[in-house]
Amino acid sequence: MGKIFLEHPGGTRLFSCAKCSTVLSNREYLVSTRFNGATGRAFLFKKVVNLVVSGKSERMMLTGRHIVRDVSCKTCKNRLGWMYEYAMVEGQRYKEGQVILEKQLIVDSTGIEEI
């Protein structure tokens, strides 16, 4: 199978997979905590690492129709949320290329302060 190479975003507050603790993002990349997912509250990030993405699918969401890809942890393959590919509604296009991680599926922790 080969080695899995992981990235680390650095930072003093980290967000990781709740199942295997693989680091996914940090506070610097957090855009909003005011989203909802299948498991409840969800967070929008402008950058997330160590993900595997699915094929595109079209979904009708509360804010309109979107083309999205499900995202899973690169290490344990647990589904964590989705990535916005395209928003049909002009006012929702700011989400394109950004990732939703569901709060129930991630944990936050203290990282290491850079010197």
Side-chain angles (χ1 to χ4, degrees):
M1 175 162 154
K3 291 185 178 182
I4 296 174
F5 291 95
L6 302 175
E7 294 180 53
H8 197 290
T12 56
R13 183 172 173 206
L14 302 173
F15 295 91
S16 305
C17 174
K19 186 174 180 182
C20 72
S21 300
T22 296
V23 177
L24 302 167
S25 195
N26 67 32
R27 177 77 172 105
E28 178 183 331
Y29 300 128
L30 180 63
V31 175
S32 177
T33 59
R34 300 185 62 162
F35 281 77
N36 291 303
T39 61
R41 194 55 115 182
F43 299 158
L44 181 69
F45 290 88
K46 61 184 168 187
K47 181 178 179 184
V48 179
V49 296
N50 302 319
L51 294 178
V52 176
V53 297
S54 71
K56 296 177 187 175
S57 65
E58 189 173 317
R59 293 193 193 141
M60 186 62 182
M61 299 184 170
L62 294 174
T63 56
R65 192 170 303 280
H66 299 272
I67 305 290
V68 299
R69 295 176 184 263
D70 285 332
V71 296
S72 302
C73 175
K74 188 176 188 178
T75 303
C76 69
K77 309 298 187 246
N78 193 40
R79 187 188 164 282
L80 301 170
W82 64 90
M83 178 175 69
Y84 289 100
E85 284 285 326
Y86 182 73
M88 307 291 184
V89 178
E90 183 69 36
Q92 299 298 312
R93 297 234 167 106
Y94 73 94
K95 298 175 187 173
E96 293 177 358
Q98 299 192 52
V99 177
I100 289 285
L101 296 178
E102 298 196 38
K103 185 178 180 188
Q104 294 289 324
L105 306 175
I106 61 172
V107 293
D108 63 330
S109 62
T110 303
I112 299 171
E113 191 167 337
E114 295 183 27
I115 299 174

